[in-house]
Amino acid sequence: MVTALYRRYRPETFAELIGQSQVTDPLRTALRTDRVGHAYLFSGPRGCGKTTSARILARCLNCAEGPTDTPCGACASCIELARDGGGSLDVVEIDAASHNGVDDARDLRERAAFAPARDRYKIFILDEAHMVTTQGFNALLKLVEEPPEHVKFIFATTEPEKVIGTIRSRTHHYPFRLVPPAQMLDYVQQLCTAEGIEVEGGVLPLVVRAGGGSVRDTLSLLDQLIAGSEGNTVLYERAVALLGYTHGALLDEIVDALAAADAPGVFTGVDRVVQTGQDPRRFVEDLLERLRDLIVVAATRDGASAVLRGVPADEIERMAHQASAYGAVELSRAADVVNAALTEMTGATSPRLHLELMAARLLVPSSDDSERGALARVERLERRIGIEGEAPAPASAAPAPRPVEAVEQRREAPRLETPAPPPAAVPAAVPSAPAAASAAPGTVTLQQIRDAWPEVLEVVQGIKRGSWMVVYTSTARAFEGDVLTLGFASENDVQSFRQAQGAGESVSEHLRRAILQVLGVRVKFIARVEGAAAAAPAQAVEERREAPRLDTTAERKSGEAPAVPKPATTGWNVTPIPDAASAPADDEAPPADDEVLPPDDADAPPSDEEPPAPAAPTPAAASAPARSASGGAPASGRARYGEAVVREVLKASFIEEVQLNPRDRPVRLVDESGAATSGSEA
Ligand SMILES: Nc1ncnc2c1ncn2[C@@H]1O[C@H](COP(=O)(O)OP(=O)(O)OP(=O)(O)O)[C@@H](O)[C@H]1O
Ligand SMILES: [Mg+2]
Ligand SMILES: [Zn+2]
């Protein structure tokens, strides 16, 4: 026969109390500075330390060394008022539940008249004070208002509003709170160590959750688990069964099935919940709790363990996968549905039916035509197909592979139309590749990859933070077939990107998985270093913006552009001229599925830094990144853009370029005879 855990561990000093510093701190200060009032009211939920605190306060007040905030523990009063002391004559604990009438109040009044037998004060602790009748309180009113010097009152109650206002206003009111899970978890862990009990992972968080913030409830549950355990080990299985929670494995199974929209899996799981005799309502609560955890994990990522205390790391990892399989919108929508079901199930005659209907609702987002439901559907589609680019382009400009460029062109369109008939200008800029003509399911363009890049990085971060740190610096440079060319800042990054770290555990594999998840395509990689060329993209954009305008000038002046480019001899950096030779090298051997391709050395970094000399379309200059940087014409076009137009079509060279109002920008040109011509665009 052992006494209950909560009795054996009842705190004897304020320092031992947990989670009530809002009460203990000011009380201890008052004790230290000798500013103790004559009546106290301790209120708060059950089992969080009111009675205990009342006893500690009495002990502090009557300690021979006192009044003190830390009772000495050695004097007669301290010993009598200790956990297993016999009680002191001068501290009267009245159970107001059974002594609540006027007679009891009168009796108390008489007792208060006598001086303390030995100690400093005569202290009355009225526990469960809300049970005192109004008449009882009224009979006490006078005494509580102006008690003799040697009398102190401590009321303790769970329902302070039932203590009549006139009494309340004569006391110092200290509200106790439920103990936060983190502190509670630490506390029970400490107790288990002190008791020499081993507890399987995941048990204590369950106990803490079941205790609902009440220390006594929590300790009672733990006590019961310990009592029912063989030897000195509390098993997870027993704890889940006894506490009536859904087993973590079953919960995982159902959550996984829900995330994958696997209807048979979900209903099998639900059936198992019912067959094991679990209360459906309890299960729905657990599911809601799990969804909340997933939301927390998705939101906090690496910080999740700080918020979800006591949850083992591997479980957090598992939850991170579940969260990313769900998606943020879907998660929050699911939580809404489950929460609504929980409310509906209150008092329902057939909770099982409600449970199954809830599962159905979770599985079919289309049944929910709220905005959130629609968003969730979009999210699912996006994950499967990849993100559609811009809204459909005007009839003349068929969907281009790089939506941004398409937009750029569209913006120029009105102006284009005046100098040249659109059919002449646009087809040159529109790709001929049929694959790019429509974003059919499974087709993803480089621009889509770039647009989705932040999201991809986020998923990588969810998989492994180390991998995220590597791919964070990379840029998608080209996407051909299923080969994605990535630019990295340093050779080091490329190395770490390629390095395998065990089966299927390389950074590239993580990135591949993330892209598959976000865009729905399985890619192969070419990784290259691009160091100094990192500044290129901005310039490339600049060029691209100019391109269509100059292009039309070309079309206007000479109709068909000459096919053979002449070597340019200018002091200017020139962009290689897009040419037939720059068409995607379709015959390039496709890279093996699971490896990162070595960068082809001929594939120089984007071309802005290239020497100006022979700009003939050699394959080297026509590499994929070069094309994307020059932002120029699509593969098969023979368009001449930018300064290429000036050099080749007009056979001129640049002297200077002056940035003016972009609408009115004079360009001074020198033709081959050396005569300067000055043109200004309309
Ligand atoms: N803040 C706390 N820190 C440590 N242990 C606590 C705390 N609160 C309660 N306990 C434990 O719970 C037991 C019950 O506490 P106590 O009797 O003070 O609760 P109470 O607030 O008076 O509850 P009730 O309203 O049900 O009377 C104590 O013996 C102690 O073991
Ligand atoms: Mg109590
Ligand atoms: Zn003492």
Side-chain angles (χ1 to χ4, degrees):
M1 187 33 215
V2 284
T3 44
L5 208 54
Y6 67 83
R7 284 180 62 194
R8 270 183 288 146
Y9 287 91
R10 187 192 285 277
E12 292 184 299
T13 64
F14 284 127
E16 288 171 39
L17 273 180
I18 58 161
Q20 306 296 355
S21 57
Q22 82 282 1
V23 172
T24 53
D25 287 352
L27 267 182
R28 292 176 75 174
T29 307
L31 282 165
R32 261 199 317 272
T33 52
D34 206 11
R35 270 181 266 171
V36 186
H38 64 263
Y40 287 90
L41 173 59
F42 292 166
S43 71
R46 66 167 192 270
C48 60
K50 300 177 299 292
T51 307
T52 309
S53 294
R55 289 184 189 165
I56 296 173
L57 180 59
R59 203 163 176 241
C60 291
L61 286 169
N62 272 354
C63 175
E65 314 272 303
T68 166
D69 64 338
T70 320
C72 73
C75 67
S77 160
C78 279
I79 290 170
E80 284 172 8
L81 291 175
R83 204 155 30 212
D84 30 37
S88 152
L89 268 182
D90 291 327
V91 177
V92 186
E93 198 171 319
I94 300 164
D95 176 13
S98 49
H99 301 86
N100 54 7
V102 186
D103 295 342
D104 300 298
R106 244 181 241 135
D107 179 44
L108 197 154
R109 259 190 350 220
E110 274 161 29
R111 289 217 251 170
F114 295 105
R118 177 193 63 203
D119 302 322
R120 199 167 298 113
Y121 299 110
K122 190 130 195 126
I123 299 167
F124 295 96
I125 298 174
L126 272 99
D127 214 350
E128 319 295 341
H130 56 272
M131 304 293 273
V132 176
T133 58
T134 309
Q135 290 86 346
F137 273 132
N138 280 329
L140 280 179
L141 218 58
K142 204 76 204 120
L143 183 65
V144 174
E145 182 169 18
E146 291 174 336
E149 270 298 281
H150 61 268
V151 172
K152 303 277 182 206
F153 284 102
I154 306 171
F155 298 93
T157 179
T158 43
E159 297 164 77
E161 61 287 350
K162 284 198 182 158
V163 176
I164 61 170
T166 38
I167 290 278
R168 247 186 307 167
S169 76
R170 287 162 169 78
T171 62
H172 291 180
H173 185 179
Y174 286 95
F176 284 64
R177 309 240 161 84
L178 289 174
V179 176
Q183 270 169 303
M184 190 78 90
L185 193 67
D186 284 348
Y187 189 62
V188 286
Q189 231 139 25
Q190 235 171 285
L191 289 197
C192 287
T193 316
E195 289 282 298
I197 302 290
E198 290 224 11
V199 180
E200 276 193 348
V203 170
L204 290 183
L206 282 186
V207 172
V208 168
R209 202 177 128 197
S214 158
V215 187
R216 192 201 289 117
D217 289 6
T218 308
L219 295 194
S220 293
L221 288 171
L222 183 62
D223 217 4
Q224 191 179 349
L225 284 180
I226 292 173
S229 298
E230 321 277 355
N232 275 340
T233 310
V234 182
L235 302 174
Y236 179 76
E237 303 282 334
R238 285 229 174 147
V240 195
L242 183 76
L243 299 176
Y245 285 118
T246 315
H247 196 292
L250 181 54
L251 206 54
D252 273 336
E253 200 182 297
I254 294 179
V255 167
D256 284 338
L258 279 172
D262 162 21
V266 172
F267 282 101
T268 314
V270 165
D271 182 58
R272 206 122 62 78
V273 169
V274 177
Q275 293 312 323
T276 49
Q278 167 131 18
D279 175 12
R281 220 187 115 79
R282 194 66 183 262
F283 165 73
V284 174
E285 263 177 46
D286 289 345
L287 183 59
L288 187 58
E289 184 100 358
R290 168 58 67 89
L291 288 173
R292 169 260 180 190
D293 288 353
L294 292 183
I295 290 173
V296 169
V297 168
T300 53
R301 307 234 162 246
D302 289 356
S305 57
V307 183
L308 306 175
R309 287 182 195 78
V311 181
D314 62 324
E315 186 160 354
I316 288 192
E317 183 121 327
R318 200 160 53 236
M319 288 201 281
H321 281 293
Q322 289 174 346
S324 62
Y326 256 105
V329 178
E330 179 72 48
L331 258 183
S332 122
R333 193 193 68 88
D336 282 356
V337 171
V338 175
N339 193 26
L342 194 59
T343 320
E344 272 171 31
M345 283 169 93
T346 321
T349 40
S350 172
R352 174 181 184 159
L353 189 69
H354 279 272
L355 175 56
E356 286 169 344
L357 290 179
M358 178 199 77
R361 230 170 292 149
L362 282 173
L363 279 168
V364 193
S366 54
S367 68
D368 168 8
D369 50 7
S370 68
E371 195 181 334
R372 198 93 67 85
L375 266 180
R377 290 202 301 280
V378 171
E379 201 176 62
R380 271 194 194 186
L381 282 177
E382 280 180 354
R383 252 181 292 138
R384 260 180 231 155
I385 312 175
I387 304 147
E388 280 282 327
E390 293 288 321
S396 64
R402 302 190 190 92
V404 166
E405 271 169 59
V407 170
E408 215 55 68
Q409 287 162 8
R410 259 208 303 284
R411 201 171 298 150
E412 300 296 341
R415 236 181 298 165
L416 282 171
E417 273 160 15
T418 19
V426 175
V430 165
S432 51
S438 74
T443 317
V444 174
T445 64
L446 174 63
Q447 191 56 48
Q448 287 173 348
I449 293 181
R450 285 187 177 161
D451 288 347
W453 203 242
E455 210 185 320
V456 170
L457 289 181
E458 222 173 275
V459 176
V460 174
Q461 192 180 18
I463 298 174
K464 192 168 178 197
R465 196 175 164 84
S467 303
W468 173 77
M469 305 235 289
V470 174
V471 294
Y472 181 72
T473 58
S474 68
T475 326
R477 283 294 171 208
F479 187 58
E480 219 104 295
D482 58 351
V483 183
L484 177 63
T485 307
L486 290 177
F488 283 90
S490 74
E491 181 60 40
N492 242 351
D493 287 344
V494 175
Q495 287 303 334
S496 354
F497 181 68
R498 286 207 207 121
Q499 230 154 47
Q501 301 162 344
E505 274 299 301
S506 60
V507 176
S508 58
E509 182 51 42
H510 292 159
L511 181 60
R512 196 187 330 271
R513 246 194 279 157
I515 292 176
L516 181 63
Q517 186 186 324
V518 173
L519 290 157
V521 287
R522 194 169 174 82
V523 299
K524 297 154 189 166
F525 295 113
I526 294 179
R528 69 175 87 240
V529 188
E530 50 190 26
Q539 244 168 301
V541 169
E542 213 51 65
E543 284 165 17
R544 199 152 59 218
R545 200 162 297 149
E546 298 304 332
R549 236 184 302 164
L550 288 170
D551 190 23
T552 58
T553 322
E555 305 280 356
R556 184 175 45 195
K557 293 245 163 127
S558 62
E560 178 72 351
V564 186
K566 281 212 172 172
T569 47
T570 72
W572 288 58
N573 282 345
V574 294
T575 309
I577 298 156
D579 186 282
S582 67
D586 288 331
D587 51 348
E588 205 177 82
D593 197 39
D594 283 347
E595 70 179 25
V596 180
L597 297 163
D600 183 356
D601 274 338
D603 274 357
S607 58
D608 291 78
E609 306 297 328
E610 258 175 43
T618 65
S623 65
R627 271 201 315 287
S628 78
S630 69
S636 58
R638 294 242 165 188
R640 296 290 175 269
Y641 285 174
E643 83 286 331
V645 174
V646 179
R647 278 189 286 110
E648 292 180 13
V649 182
L650 300 179
K651 310 227 169 10
S653 54
F654 290 86
I655 300 174
E656 61 175 325
E657 188 177 33
V658 187
Q659 186 77 44
L660 281 179
N661 178 348
R663 279 189 57 83
D664 178 19
R665 184 181 180 194
V667 184
R668 297 195 64 202
L669 307 169
V670 180
D671 66 21
E672 280 189 328
S673 66
T677 57
S678 179
S680 171
E681 273 186 63

